[in-house]
Every structure is written in structure tokens, then in C-alpha cells.
Amino acid sequence: MFEKLNPRSAEIIKQSSTVYNLKWKRNIEFLLFGYENSCSGWYYILKNNEQISPTYHYSEINDIFLKNLQRIIDDIECGKYNNKKTPSEKIRLIVEERGLYSLMNNTKWKELISAIKEKTPNIPIKYKTLFEEDTSAYYWTMAGDEHFEYLNMKSIEWLKISCEIKEIKHRGRLIENKVIIYDKKAEIYEILRNFNIPYEYDEIKNAFFIYGYKS
């Protein structure tokens, strides 16, 4: 399949039945992955080892698909992605424009998240990234938020952890449901203390705030 593509000035890093990887001197890469014995897969563009394009999926290999791949290669060759900012560059710009300073780093975020997932995976959480104007009014859990695990930790502006887990027990149509509240404040506090995580505690909402950035 890939023999029909012209890599232009890019170096072919890897070419097989399931991987096609091109790299330009500007540290821009085109990566395509396919499933073994399948005509489906995905591809995207990297700059400085950070993804700068959406992840595109394909389910069929034909002349139209190959023509589209060649167009992307030609666009990269012509410099279309040279000035496209990486996620790290976008974060740095927002931080500078808003006059923010960092309180957390990737190591601390990973330690905190791993400990919560291990000890209290169903604890309600809410978070806001630097790229969002507003945040949802609803709480999620780390186990229930499929995007959280893949989130760029550097982009988290703040994380709110509720100390209460509510369990609703249904007792029939004629009897009011029973609500049981489990307070996990001690467990969360222990995690924050063990990893020296800076936090603020809201007594009214019984929740911890962990700020990635503040002004």
C-alpha cells in the first residue's frame, strides 16, 4: 500500500503492513497505524513528539484514501504545520497571558490520581482545564470519566474532590429511598499529606481543591 505514496523529503522511520512513520527535519512526523489482517486503523501528526492533529480513523483502503494521505504528506512538506502550536505551547501562552503560576507538576498529578484510583475510585470529582471557560455542574468519578485518564495533566487548572460518596438504596415505590453518605475526608487528606499535595479545603461543600495553577 505505502509504495504508492511519495514521502517527499521526509525520512521513512518505519514501514510495514501495520505502521507507516515519516519524519521531517522540522521534527514533524506523520504516523499511521493499522490492525493486523485488517483494512482499518488510525493516523495523526506529531510536532516535537506532541500530537497536533486530531486522530483520524479509517476503515477502508482505496485510491481515495491513499490520495488523502498523499495530500496530508504534501501539506506537511509545504509547511502547513510548521507554525501549528503544540499542546505545551498553547498551555504556556495561556499561563503567560493570564499571569498564572504553577503549583503542581506531572509527577504530583500522577501520584495523586493513582492513589485516589487505588483507594477511593468512586469519589466524586470535578475539574477544569486551562482550555475551558466553564465547567460542568455535575460530579464524575475517575473510574467513570473515560477522558480523564488520557488528559494532559499540564492542562488541569484545578481539581475538586468531594469527600462524600452517596449510596441510594431503593426501598420500593411506596417507601422513600434511603440515602447513605460515606465521608472519605480522612482518606483523601491522608493521600494529600503523603504526597505533599498543596490544597484548599471548603468546609461548606466538604471538598478539597487542588490547584494546578493560580494567579
Side-chain angles (χ1 to χ4, degrees):
M1 172 180 74
F2 302 123
E3 286 75 10
K4 296 182 180 180
L5 296 174
N6 185 340
R8 304 305 184 191
S9 66
E11 176 188 359
I12 299 175
I13 303 298
K14 188 170 183 179
Q15 180 172 320
S16 68
S17 60
T18 57
V19 180
Y20 187 56
N21 183 196
L22 301 179
K23 186 171 185 177
W24 282 258
K25 290 182 179 179
R26 300 180 295 274
N27 212 22
I28 295 177
E29 294 183 64
F30 172 74
L31 290 97
L32 181 145
F33 301 91
Y35 297 105
E36 198 73 48
N37 301 319
S38 173
C39 292
S40 62
W42 67 99
Y43 57 94
Y44 52 82
I45 300 168
L46 294 179
K47 181 181 179 183
N48 297 328
N49 296 317
E50 294 187 65
Q51 189 169 333
I52 58 172
S53 78
T55 298
Y56 300 101
H57 296 270
Y58 65 93
S59 57
E60 184 180 0
I61 297 173
N62 52 34
D63 289 340
I64 295 175
F65 170 68
L66 292 174
K67 188 178 292 186
N68 184 50
L69 292 188
Q70 187 63 59
R71 179 184 58 78
I72 293 173
I73 292 170
D74 292 344
D75 284 344
I76 297 173
E77 181 74 20
C78 293
K80 180 178 179 179
Y81 294 89
N82 286 4
N83 297 320
K84 195 169 182 65
K85 290 181 174 56
T86 64
S88 292
E89 290 171 333
K90 291 178 181 179
I91 290 170
R92 187 162 58 248
L93 278 175
I94 293 173
V95 168
E96 291 174 357
E97 288 173 357
R98 292 177 55 188
L100 303 175
Y101 62 92
S102 176
L103 292 171
M104 293 283 282
N105 56 43
N106 278 353
T107 300
K108 284 191 176 294
W109 277 125
K110 289 177 180 177
E111 289 173 340
L112 172 62
I113 292 165
S114 295
I116 290 175
K117 289 174 73 174
E118 178 185 347
K119 296 183 179 180
T120 56
N122 294 318
I123 201 75
I125 64 164
K126 186 188 294 187
Y127 60 90
K128 179 182 179 296
T129 70
L130 293 169
F131 303 115
E132 296 173 302
E133 292 293 331
D134 300 300
T135 184
S136 171
Y138 302 100
Y139 280 92
W140 300 88
T141 66
M142 289 188 184
D145 188 337
E146 60 184 15
H147 301 292
F148 190 80
E149 188 175 349
Y150 303 100
L151 193 66
N152 182 349
M153 296 295 110
K154 291 180 181 178
S155 72
I156 299 177
E157 185 171 351
W158 53 258
L159 171 69
K160 183 178 180 180
I161 306 174
S162 172
C163 297
E164 298 179 353
I165 296 178
K166 294 181 180 179
E167 180 184 348
I168 299 176
K169 288 196 172 183
H170 300 282
R171 299 190 291 183
R173 289 184 300 173
L174 303 178
I175 304 176
E176 187 177 351
N177 293 333
K178 183 178 182 181
V179 179
I180 303 174
I181 297 177
Y182 301 95
D183 194 312
K184 298 292 183 179
K185 180 181 177 181
E187 289 93 324
I188 298 170
Y189 173 74
E190 183 182 6
I191 292 172
L192 297 173
R193 182 176 58 82
N194 287 344
F195 294 107
N196 295 314
I197 305 293
Y199 67 87
E200 292 181 11
Y201 176 69
D202 187 328
E203 291 188 13
I204 297 175
K205 296 183 179 180
N206 192 17
F208 289 97
F209 273 90
I210 294 89
Y211 288 91
Y213 300 91
K214 291 192 78 173
S215 58

